[in-house]
Amino acid sequence: QVHLVESGGGSVQAGGSLRLSCVSSEYWNSMTWFRQVPGQAREGLALIYGENGVTRYADSVKGRFTLSRDNAKNTVYLEMNSLKPEDTAMYYCAAKFVGGSWYDPSAYERWGQGTQVTVSS
């Protein structure tokens, strides 16, 4: 069974930074980070695909978040800078893309348990 484990969440002040990690039990060509606020839809934030690590970002995080990967460790990293209170959410990584838009949660079949990020003003 494939496992995805996120870590690195926490509480920071606005303007601060956090680095999230997602370790997978196997290699996936594409992996994506999402976030979700209670009562709201899960939002696709950043995709990385291919061994060279091509990336795509949602407008809400473009220029502030950077996604990278270490293929030898089956790990992806989400570097989050200039954090804002509206970035507060549970952050999830996803894998096993089955088709559709990369930012659509229904396009993935594997999910981690999430890591909480809280940004205070």
Side-chain angles (χ1 to χ4, degrees):
Q1 185 174 358
V2 175
H3 295 285
L4 300 174
V5 180
E6 303 98 333
S7 62
S11 297
V12 296
Q13 291 190 329
S17 299
L18 283 174
R19 187 195 197 204
L20 306 185
S21 300
C22 176
V23 181
S24 175
S25 57
E26 65 180 85
Y27 174 82
W28 294 100
N29 187 60
S30 63
M31 294 185 72
T32 300
W33 280 93
F34 288 79
R35 68 185 178 191
Q36 188 169 25
V37 175
Q40 298 185 19
R42 197 162 289 192
E43 176 189 11
L45 301 177
L47 159 75
I48 191 165
Y49 66 93
E51 292 191 355
N52 292 331
V54 179
T55 54
R56 295 285 185 270
Y57 297 95
D59 288 343
S60 58
V61 303
K62 196 175 296 182
R64 299 189 299 123
F65 291 10
T66 302
L67 187 54
S68 60
R69 71 188 310 168
D70 184 335
N71 294 332
K73 297 180 179 180
N74 291 338
T75 301
V76 296
Y77 304 98
L78 185 66
E79 186 75 34
M80 307 187 298
N81 299 313
S82 302
L83 284 163
K84 306 174 182 179
E86 51 263 43
D87 293 319
T88 295
M90 185 70 79
Y91 284 68
Y92 300 89
C93 67
K96 194 175 182 180
F97 182 75
V98 295
S101 302
W102 70 263
Y103 46 83
D104 184 347
S106 65
Y108 301 87
E109 290 190 349
R110 296 288 184 267
W111 292 87
Q113 82 290 347
T115 186
Q116 176 69 36
V117 171
T118 303
V119 184
S120 58
S121 58

